[in-house]
Amino acid sequence: MPQAAPLHLLAQDPDDLAVISAALQDAVAKVGDIAFEARARRLTIAFNRYRWEAGERQRVRSALQVGGILDLKARRIRRERKDAVVELLTIAFDAGEPPGGVLTLSFAGGGDLRAEIECIDAILADVSQPWPTPRAPAHDS
């Protein structure tokens, strides 16, 4: 089977964002890999992403960057626990005054990041070579 190409995705509308959300389902990150730059209005998270598209059990280091953030709130994510691991379940967008709204990154265990954004401006890029992983994520029906 040919090797799946690294992902480089741009989201500028809710449909694009749904593609990034699907690609990041079950991605894991350390809390210390979440960086918010208030002055630049930018959120960057480095994930170990499960490569659903590869057809093999692989993970790859990926970076998600969201721009145009007006306000960011964390719930049930303890920022002082830098080595704590969070698992991303989904990214949702609730439209507000166009083109803005609220972007919510929901994590297993009930934690989330809620970003008020002026518009959808997100980039996901794989930044390493993939590596094999012994387990595939599993979900209850």
Side-chain angles (χ1 to χ4, degrees):
M1 176 188 296
Q3 181 74 16
L7 289 186
H8 296 91
L9 303 173
L10 172 66
Q12 296 181 320
D13 63 36
D15 292 335
D16 295 343
L17 195 60
V19 173
I20 287 179
S21 178
L24 280 173
Q25 181 180 358
D26 300 310
V28 293
K30 289 185 178 181
V31 170
D33 290 335
I34 301 172
F36 177 54
E37 301 166 78
R39 287 189 150 198
R41 300 184 323 169
R42 180 174 48 226
L43 172 68
T44 305
I45 306 174
F47 287 101
N48 290 342
R49 181 179 74 77
Y50 189 81
R51 296 185 74 220
W52 293 103
E53 73 280 7
E56 301 174 29
R57 292 180 177 174
Q58 297 179 342
R59 286 204 179 261
V60 65
R61 193 74 167 156
S62 299
L64 172 68
Q65 190 168 78
V66 180
I69 295 181
L70 304 171
D71 187 38
L72 181 70
K73 293 186 168 91
R75 184 177 63 91
R76 297 184 67 186
I77 296 175
R78 297 178 64 188
R79 293 185 298 188
E80 68 278 1
R81 297 187 57 205
K82 303 284 186 201
D83 286 335
V85 175
V86 293
E87 179 182 357
L88 185 67
L89 299 176
T90 189
I91 302 172
F93 176 70
D94 293 312
E97 185 176 327
V102 175
L103 193 70
T104 304
L105 287 81
S106 299
F107 297 93
D112 59 42
L113 292 174
R114 184 180 183 277
E116 183 182 335
I117 58 174
E118 61 185 0
C119 65
I120 295 175
D121 178 16
I123 298 170
L124 173 66
D126 290 344
V127 295
S128 78
Q129 292 297 314
W131 65 88
T133 185
R135 291 185 303 243
H139 299 273
D140 295 334
S141 301

